[in-house]
Amino acid sequence: MPSSADTEVVLTVNGARVRLVTDPTRPLLSVLREELGLVGSRFGCGLEQCGACMVLIDGEPEFSCAREVATLAGREVVTIEGLGGLAGPGGGLHPLQQALLDEQAGQCGYCLSGLMISGAALLSRNPRPSRQEILAALDRHLCRCGVHNRVVRAVQRAGAAMAGAGTPA
Amino acid sequence: MIPNALPQSLVDNPLLSDWVGFEQGGRVRVSTGKVEIGQGILTALVQIAAEELEVAPGRIRTVSGETSAGPNEGVTAGSTSVAMSGAAIRLACAEVRALFLARGAERLGVPAEALSIADGRFQRDGRETDHDYWSLAREVDLARPATGNAPTRPATQYRVVGQSLPRIDLPAKIEGRGFIHDMLPPGVLHARVLHRPWRDARLVALDEAAVRRAAGGAIDILREGDFVAVTAEQEFVAFRAAQAMREKAAWDGGTPIPPDANDPAWLEAQPARTRVVDTGTPPQTSGGTVVEATYWRPFQTYGSIGPSCALACLEHDPEKWGPVFGKDHAQNNGLERDDDSRKRHPAPADGQLTVWSHTQNPYALRDQLARCLGLDAAGVTVLHRQAAGCYGHNTADDAAFDAAFLATRTPGRTVRVLFTREDEFLAAPLGPAMLVKMRAVLGADRRPVDWTIDLSSPVHSNRPGVHGHHGFRSREALPNPPPQPAERNDRPDAVGGGASRNAQALYDLPFHRMIHRTVDPVPLRTSSLRGLGAFANIFAIESFMDELADTAGEDAVAYRLSLLSDPRGRAVIEAAAEMCGWPGTAPPGEGRGLGIGFARYKNRAAYMAVAAEVEVDEEVRLLRVWGAADCGLTITPDGALNQLEGGIVQAASWTLCEELRFADGRVATATWEDYPILRFTKIPEISLRLIGDPRDPPLGVGEASMGPTAAAIGNAVARALGTRIRNLPLSRERIMAALLA
Ligand code: FES
Ligand code: FES
């Protein structure tokens, strides 16, 4: 139910233009999950402390749980659901998603949506990251199941696959 | 050998049809009472079923933890799922296979021995017949009790078991699907509950107007007794209201948590009931070298990354679920099965309550919900859906109660409850603190002739139904709560123990005394945290072994081996020592060191030895970890490695970082900033080896690495520092204090 304080916000989500009329202070994560049905970005803390809600905003990994939606007017958001599209036309899985499967880099999997966002962002600027670079890029994320090292291997494997396939990085 | 006696799960759920069914489209239903909590159990069970039925794993659809449809196998905990559910599924599937083969043979007029099975198709001398499981399904009645007499496939011929089948739930999860949190049916009502900060706290004031203003959208506030919930059509509005409620509520009365409750002295001063268990022969002569040391594990928390979530609806209307649970979700191979569960339970009659929960024990939850809400258990259906990793008794059941209770106040609407991050700390069951005092008398050969472990801890189980209590936090806040149990006793040793788990050292000790002090009552809801008492006991015993070796002037590995005749235990210690290059080259006390720890989880699950290398200046840097495990037959080797490695990381975090704080009568830890856990940049490289013999029965692995990891780190730090810190966590403050001492 729109209220008088609602504002119009136009942004791009996973390549599609989205027009919303909503509370401008509403968190992006809430818009993604409730309005757009993009439930892959996860609520973990709502305090920018765990990384479960990570999305790409103009290509940079950013928390979405406390990010007011009005600040995203004209910006480009990519969620886990749109990650495959980033790797090239035809959709399918992003090489990092495939690498996570290949490395079986998951236990409960709750942290993975966010981790893949940060991992993909790292690979887009550095397709051959070292272990230390990967650890640093993922340090804003918490994983309680302890799949850290598998995720690191998956990032490395995806980087190699992307370089090998000539995927635009 | 894997014995063929009827396992308890088959005794409790005897019909073959409880476990297996053949469905259209060449699919096989395999049902289990165990639930996926991030550990990969469903994948392992699919492998066992595929092996015995001789069908491709991809044909199998799992039904798990649904009180309306599945076998009741109690709680999913304690690394017992493969042993329990796996054993039942193995025998049930073998028997189903034998029955179908007999029927096929009858139809073909050949002896059953002439037939073989290839992916469910029946073949004769390697050539196809016209028969398969599905064509014969109507001719074989599976609604008959299992006998357990059909031969199972010999381990030497395993084709699926022992292979690393990829996790069946992972494909959906890497696409961002598959969690209970994603169930957002149209018209869902979002709820948040204001949990009381301490036991029996009375709500003396709540500025509802301020809460409404902060919410910035329409909300309802429901108050009954000291229970308060807010509901809203939009989740972010409920979220804001919940944040405001926390700030605007004033509490009084009840039993606030003392500020020093996370101090060993507080625990020791509490009332306790003591029992003494002696094993072996007391020493005949007195004298010898006495070694004593006291170890501490603080109150800690499981800290799941996803807050608990539940949905409930009274008079559930299945039509609502259409768009949310379309075929997309039904394809997740066992993850979401709502299309089918709809078929299995048609629209419930009036007054039926359906609850979706990530509980570890759907049946216990159903029974306690029914009891607390005054419903017939037959009118309550609990359907398990997956959530973030579960590492012990978490708030899943509390969220389920909250949703169920609110559903009774809003009939016809589906209520979705999500815990706040703050309440995941404040209102969650606590991992019990433990104080462990070790004492040994070394004889002339510098081996213990007398050994005492004296442990104090609150109970390690307060799950729904335990102690005859419902166990729901919010039920206590509602009017007329059932009385608290007069006494809470810890889990008996016969079922693996609570605080006493792994208190009995596996070493060859002529005399062993355990003094177990159950600290009760305490003004805290303590309950199961992964591994229960094993973590602190193994940390204490294995630290103490190093201290004894030091006293004896012997190498820590050699000393252990001289006291251990169990060959499987010796083998994992030797393997870990070899992997890490024991004893290393770093001189003691100069900032770098190796340490080792060993245990057999529960003294009957997997054997594990862990070695750790650390560097210590002002804080501990965990450089590398090595581990060797003997889990007998591993159903899914990669899954076992994943669990063992995850356990190492979590245990390292408990050991190095974690401790709850109490202040203002409550758990003062409210966010991840107050409760740091091990982050990516602190993660060591980890090398693991599985050295078990596949002819030995499968042994639970879920918790096996945790105690040995704590001990290995503790011992490595002691070596690096030249002095030992016996209280966990080995935090910067403790290191600094040790350096200054
Ligand atoms: S949910 Fe956004 S960082 Fe935790
Ligand atoms: S896999 Fe469970 S939190 Fe990372």
Side-chain angles (χ1 to χ4, degrees), chain B residues 659-695:
Chain B
E659 182 170 33
L660 287 168
R661 279 185 314 107
F662 304 112
D664 304 323
R666 67 190 75 189
V667 175
T669 305
T671 71
W672 288 117
E673 246 160 41
D674 307 325
Y675 197 82
I677 63 173
L678 215 60
R679 283 182 178 269
F680 271 85
T681 46
K682 306 274 173 173
I683 296 292
E685 290 191 55
I686 300 174
S687 320
L688 296 177
R689 232 184 250 170
L690 298 178
I691 63 166
D693 185 331
R695 287 168 301 186

Side-chain angles (χ1 to χ4, degrees), chain A residues 98-112:
Chain A
Q98 184 57 50
L100 251 72
L101 285 180
D102 295 338
E103 293 289 342
Q104 289 289 293
Q107 281 186 32
C108 78
Y110 200 84
C111 61
L112 296 180

Side-chain angles (χ1 to χ4, degrees), chain B residues 213-235:
Chain B
R213 273 196 306 279
I219 57 167
D220 280 324
I221 299 176
L222 180 114
R223 281 176 74 161
E224 290 186 37
D226 298 299
F227 174 89
V228 189
V230 59
T231 57
E233 305 286 333
Q234 290 179 300
E235 186 172 16

Side-chain angles (χ1 to χ4, degrees), chain B residues 616-656:
Chain B
V616 188
D617 39 43
E618 286 174 7
E619 60 181 12
V620 179
R621 265 190 309 286
L622 187 52
L623 303 175
R624 284 207 66 172
V625 174
W626 302 261
D630 174 352
C631 334
L633 169 70
T634 33
I635 310 295
T636 317
D638 187 64
L641 293 169
N642 202 350
Q643 284 281 294
L644 293 171
E645 178 159 333
I648 287 170
V649 171
Q650 194 169 91
S653 187
W654 290 356
T655 304
L656 295 173

Side-chain angles (χ1 to χ4, degrees), chain A residues 29 42-54 63-66:
Chain A
L29 180 64
R42 314 222 148 271
F43 179 90
C45 64
L47 300 165
E48 305 193 330
Q49 292 178 357
C50 75
C53 63
M54 202 70 82
F63 302 115
S64 65
C65 60

Side-chain angles (χ1 to χ4, degrees), chain B residues 380-402:
Chain B
V380 181
T381 300
V382 173
L383 301 174
H384 183 267
R385 294 295 179 267
Q386 295 186 33
C390 164
Y391 323 99
H393 181 188
N394 58 21
T395 48
D397 297 300
D398 289 312
F401 175 83
D402 291 347

